[in-house]
Amino acid sequence: MLAFTNAKEKQSPTIIGAGCKLTGDIKTDHTVQIHGHIVGNITADTVVIGRGGKVVGKITAANLFLHGTLDGPATVNIANMFSAAQMTGILSYHTLNITGNTGLECKLSKRKDKEK
């Protein structure tokens, strides 16, 4: 099923599908879903990295949902790490939720600044 948006809609997600490889940065005020492979930095309200998804780069977001692989640092308000999640780098967060046995090999750093 495909979803289409028009100019009057306030939000539409950016979706990088399975099998797609993107080199470059993504910056948006909305949601980014990654099921493919990105080499670059992502700045968004919400970043979802699916089970087959991989990001090599820096993530800056209010919300992170990690089911796949992140190779790089992340600065987020809320980090949700799921059972298949794998991450290297530094995870800087306000709230951390870990579900299941993840493959996290990252440094955890609780943020002391105020949440935006």
Side-chain angles (χ1 to χ4, degrees):
M1 182 169 116
L2 297 175
F4 296 96
T5 60
N6 62 47
K8 293 181 180 181
E9 293 186 37
K10 301 291 183 199
Q11 295 185 4
S12 61
T14 299
I15 301 171
I16 306 301
C20 180
K21 183 172 182 179
L22 172 72
T23 300
D25 297 340
I26 296 175
K27 186 173 184 178
T28 181
D29 293 334
H30 308 301
T31 299
V32 176
Q33 295 179 21
I34 299 110
H35 303 283
H37 187 154
I38 293 182
V39 176
N41 301 321
I42 302 171
T43 302
D45 178 66
T46 300
V47 176
V48 179
I49 301 176
R51 286 192 93 143
K54 181 175 183 177
V55 174
V56 177
K58 179 181 179 181
I59 291 181
T60 304
N63 304 291
L64 172 64
F65 294 87
L66 183 61
H67 298 271
T69 302
L70 173 58
D71 184 7
T75 301
V76 300
N77 291 338
I78 301 171
N80 300 284
M81 315 305 259
F82 295 91
S83 61
Q86 301 214 357
M87 181 179 174
T88 59
I90 297 172
L91 174 61
S92 180
Y93 63 91
H94 283 293
T95 302
L96 175 61
N97 301 309
I98 300 176
T99 304
N101 185 16
T102 63
L104 300 178
E105 296 182 20
C106 60
K107 179 181 177 184
L108 301 177
S109 175
K110 177 128 173 90
R111 292 174 57 192
K112 294 179 180 30
D113 61 323
K114 293 193 178 197
E115 211 170 318
K116 295 180 185 177

